[in-house]
Amino acid sequence: MTNFMAKAISLLFISMVITSPLAQSAISCSQVAAAVAPCVNYCIVGGPTVPVSCCRGLGGLLNEAKTRPDIQQTCRCMKSIASNFPAVKEENAAQIPPKCGIKSPFKISLSTDCNRV
C-alpha cells in the first residue's frame, strides 16, 4: 500500500507541475516590439494593403507564441506598445490579421482581456 501511495503522490505532483498556471512566457516585449514595428504606420494611417514586413513580423511572432503564457504575454505586450502610440486606430490594427491571412488567437484591441486568451 505504501508503494501505491508513493506513486499516487508522485503522479499528483507531476500533474501539478505540468498544469501550473505560473508557467513563464518565452516571449519578451522586446521581441513583440521588433516584430510589430513594421505595423505601426499601418495602424495609424491604414490603407488598402498591409506591408509585407508587418505580415511577416506578426505571423512569425504568433507562430512562436505556442503556449497560453506566450499568447497572453504577446497580447499584453501588444496592448502596451499600442498605448504608447495614441494615433493608432484600433480598427486598422484589427484588420491586420485578416488582411495578412493570419489567424490570431486574440482580438487585436486595447479592450482585449489578455488573461482570458
Side-chain angles (χ1 to χ4, degrees):
M1 189 70 154
T2 309
N3 193 21
F4 174 77
M5 288 298 281
K7 287 181 182 178
I9 290 170
S10 295
L11 183 59
L12 178 63
F13 178 75
I14 291 169
S15 297
M16 288 170 50
V17 170
I18 290 172
T19 61
S20 172
L22 301 174
Q24 295 296 313
S25 171
I27 304 285
S28 71
C29 283
S30 60
Q31 284 176 285
V32 175
V36 301
C39 303
V40 172
N41 191 54
Y42 181 85
C43 289
I44 294 170
V45 298
T49 59
V50 178
V52 173
S53 57
C54 171
C55 293
R56 284 187 188 141
L58 182 61
L61 177 68
L62 294 175
N63 272 342
E64 286 182 40
K66 303 250 185 245
T67 66
R68 186 168 186 226
D70 287 348
I71 293 166
Q72 290 174 329
Q73 177 70 2
T74 300
C75 176
R76 287 184 196 104
C77 292
M78 288 178 74
K79 285 178 65 171
S80 176
I81 292 163
S83 70
N84 291 318
F85 294 93
V88 164
K89 294 182 178 92
E90 282 192 57
E91 61 273 11
N92 292 344
Q95 292 174 6
I96 294 173
K99 282 190 172 185
C100 291
I102 299 168
K103 183 171 167 82
S104 177
F106 55 88
K107 181 180 178 189
I108 298 178
S109 168
L110 289 173
S111 63
T112 297
D113 182 353
C114 298
N115 293 324
R116 301 186 138 236
V117 297

